[in-house]
Every structure is written in structure tokens, then in C-alpha cells.
Amino acid sequence: MVRIRPDADERPLRWVGSALEDLRRFPPEVQDDIGAALSAAQFGAKSGRAKPWKGSGPGVFEVVEDFRTDTYRAVYTVRFERAVYVLHAFQKKSPKGIRTDQRAIEMVERRLRAAQAMEDDTCEPNMDQQH
């Protein structure tokens, strides 16, 4: 098995909860676009598709991708030193226009706390499997 060493400037991605499994359910085109934005974050850049996630303070971003008639989102944080943490990936299903579902907002907050704990090495990476 060949192990590829990350570039010295590249921070690893760490997936919190079911974020990776959720992202894998998105259409391939959406996965590619979100992956490109996450890759930019790993090298300290911000994709033009990323915008601040409201309510969680600095260093938390969302990537919004429209595909056909659906909207997909991935939320990540660059707040911590060791890694870029992907907090949540979901298909927007809010019945109230552009407003984000409260459960998604709460999930991001829970997983942001889990990422802090992961950064501090106090818990397992996939502690939050709730939806």
C-alpha cells in the first residue's frame, strides 16, 4: 500500500458524525464541487462558493450547491489548528423558503462542539451519529 504524505501546508479533513456518509449520498457533480471547496480550505484558501455560516461565529463556512431543483449544503470549520472539520452535509428541505431548518442549525452547533473535543483529543471522531 502506498501512503501519500500530505503537503506541508495541507491540513487534513476530519469528518464529524455522519457528514462523510451524508455527502456521499449527494449527486456526483455536487460532491465534486463541495470537494473542491474543502480542498481549498485545506490549503488555507476560501472557495468562491464558500460563505460564512451565520450564528456560529468566525471560521465556520457553508458551501451551497444547487443541482437541478435541489440545494445541497456542507458546513465546515477552519477555526481549529490541526484540521479542517466537516461538520454537516445535508440537502436543504426547509418548507419556509431560504430559511435553514432549525434541526440542521442545531446539528452544526453540536458537531462544532464535537470538533472542539476532537481537536482537544477528548473524544472519538464519529461520536455524533444523530440526524
Side-chain angles (χ1 to χ4, degrees):
M1 180 172 155
V2 176
R3 183 180 171 116
I4 300 172
R5 287 185 30 195
D7 188 300
D9 296 332
E10 180 183 8
R11 291 194 295 171
L13 280 180
R14 289 194 180 162
W15 301 86
V16 184
S18 62
L20 178 58
E21 293 83 12
D22 297 336
L23 180 70
R24 286 181 174 158
R25 287 195 286 269
F26 293 178
E29 297 89 345
V30 173
Q31 290 181 44
D32 290 346
D33 289 344
I34 290 173
L38 293 173
S39 180
Q42 288 181 271
F43 287 95
K46 183 171 128 337
S47 166
R49 298 182 178 276
K51 63 182 185 177
W53 172 262
K54 293 183 175 96
S56 295
V60 180
F61 298 93
E62 70 174 323
V63 180
V64 180
E65 288 296 323
D66 292 320
F67 182 75
R68 298 191 179 155
T69 59
D70 296 315
T71 299
Y72 299 87
R73 293 181 176 189
V75 181
Y76 68 93
T77 185
V78 295
R79 184 180 289 178
F80 308 114
E81 205 171 300
R82 288 187 187 173
V84 173
Y85 292 87
V86 184
L87 304 173
H88 194 22
F90 61 101
Q91 181 179 349
K92 187 181 172 303
K93 296 182 180 180
S94 175
K96 298 177 183 165
I98 62 170
R99 188 170 162 192
T100 302
D101 183 68
Q102 186 63 33
R103 289 173 296 188
I105 294 167
E106 292 167 358
M107 177 72 72
V108 168
E109 290 304 316
R110 276 196 310 274
R111 290 184 175 176
L112 186 57
R113 289 189 298 273
Q116 176 67 65
M118 289 165 66
E119 186 76 1
D120 296 340
D121 287 325
T122 60
C123 74
E124 292 297 313
N126 288 321
M127 67 171 275
D128 180 4
Q129 292 292 329
Q130 289 183 301
H131 284 275

